[in-house]
Amino acid sequence: MRRGRRIFARAALSGSTAPSGLAAASPVSPTPTAPSPSAAASVPAGARIDPREIGLIATLLILAAVSWVVTSTQLSGMDMGRWTDPGPLGFFVTTWVVMLAAMMFPSVAPMVVAYSRIQNHRRRQGRYAPAGSTAVFVAGYLVAWTVFGVLAYGLYNAVASLLPGFFGSDQGGRYLAVAVILVAAAYQLTPAKNVSLMKCRNPMDFLLHGLRPGYSGALRMGIEHGAWCVACCWALMVALFALGVMSLGWMALIGAFIAGEKMLPWKRLANRSIAVALAVIALGVAILPAATGGMAM
């Protein structure tokens, strides 16, 4: 049963027609080799590009652009440099979700397109694939990141309440920021980072092993993929809190880091380059705090 589901998912991603009568199909190797990340979300040579996929990518990019504009309006005048107070919970959650759309939608687009391709293939085969399941998948992804944001918010406020002034520059907040950024740099080099980054870079692997039908399946898959993304990028996001979560400049830089390591073909080079860049930023915060206190746009 699992093998049949994997064969079907592979056919959907490749754009070919699924074999009829899986039981009567010719033997298939139980351990197929997964293609590269770019091949997983690309259209095979000679195949016509589906206009729906172009529309989906355009929608994600437009939503990201609109989210940048909205975020810029929401955060106008709020960038106070390192460890900026995130404000009331309701405001933070709203702002956080919009920030996620701005920062993450470009890099999650290959996964969303691959998922949508499978759903479209299921519909052509007369299998259950309800309309709107791709949107539910994206919603699940945002749910996972929102849970992370709320937990980070709660931790920040708990520490700030127990240790007033702890995040202030006059009481070591600057050196705490340096330590957090260095931790983010070190995490780039860990096996945990490598495993979770591979999950994010390879839509085929994730979809072959986790395909679930229906709205509940789409939501669960979105949350699972979001959880892998959190495991991959949590340190970068914590570094964003340290640098100034209300700073559009730092948001743009961290968002570029995330997109680069997920989408560029040179995985190792991108990963190591980000680690070096974070170490340089930490050094700048320690030596030239005024120059790195905020990156307004």
Side-chain angles (χ1 to χ4, degrees):
M1 185 67 180
R2 178 176 291 273
R3 180 181 299 177
R5 186 171 64 182
R6 292 183 183 180
I7 295 172
F8 176 82
R10 182 178 295 280
L13 283 173
S14 65
S16 62
T17 303
S20 59
L22 290 175
S26 58
V28 178
S29 172
T31 56
T33 302
S36 64
S38 58
S42 63
V43 178
R48 185 169 61 87
I49 298 177
D50 191 334
R52 291 172 297 185
E53 294 178 8
I54 298 176
L56 178 58
I57 295 172
T59 299
L60 289 170
L61 295 179
I62 290 172
L63 287 173
V66 171
S67 297
W68 277 111
V69 174
V70 173
T71 301
S72 176
T73 302
Q74 287 180 315
L75 302 185
S76 178
M78 295 190 64
D79 180 15
M80 303 300 291
R82 290 177 295 276
W83 301 115
T84 300
D85 190 322
L89 178 60
F91 170 81
F92 172 79
V93 171
T94 302
T95 304
W96 179 255
V97 172
V98 177
M99 285 172 54
L100 289 175
M103 297 175 64
M104 299 299 197
F105 276 7
S107 62
V108 80
M111 176 65 75
V112 176
V113 169
Y115 177 82
S116 176
R117 185 175 296 168
I118 284 183
Q119 298 306 302
N120 290 334
H121 187 82
R122 289 177 65 89
R123 294 187 190 102
R124 288 195 298 270
Q125 298 297 314
R127 300 167 71 97
Y128 180 57
S133 54
T134 301
V136 176
F137 177 85
V138 175
Y141 176 82
L142 292 175
V143 165
W145 268 112
T146 301
V147 170
F148 169 81
V150 171
L151 291 175
Y153 175 92
L155 179 61
Y156 175 94
N157 279 283
V159 173
S161 298
L162 293 172
L163 302 169
F166 182 72
F167 295 109
S169 295
D170 57 341
Q171 296 194 29
R174 170 159 60 102
Y175 298 106
L176 175 63
V178 171
V180 167
I181 299 167
L182 287 176
V183 167
Y187 184 70
Q188 291 289 119
L189 311 177
T190 63
K193 172 72 177 191
N194 184 62
V195 170
S196 55
L197 180 57
M198 286 301 298
K199 291 287 185 179
C200 292
R201 286 176 59 92
N202 196 339
M204 172 72 82
D205 180 72
F206 175 79
L207 294 172
L208 285 180
H209 293 85
L211 183 63
R212 296 178 179 85
Y215 291 122
S216 61
L219 182 64
R220 181 174 174 182
M221 289 180 68
I223 292 174
E224 288 180 1
H225 178 59
W228 279 114
C229 191
V230 170
C232 176
C233 304
W234 68 267
L236 288 170
M237 285 300 200
V238 173
L240 177 60
F241 271 86
L243 291 165
V245 73
M246 300 298 179
S247 168
L248 287 177
W250 289 123
M251 277 177 55
L253 183 62
I254 297 299
F257 285 168
I258 292 171
E261 68 178 2
K262 288 184 179 181
M263 301 181 73
L264 290 176
W266 316 287
K267 169 183 168 290
R268 184 180 179 87
L269 176 61
N271 177 265
R272 299 300 188 266
S273 298
I274 292 170
V276 171
L278 288 169
V280 171
I281 291 171
L283 184 63
V285 172
I287 299 176
L288 301 169
T292 56
M295 283 180 62
M297 293 179 63

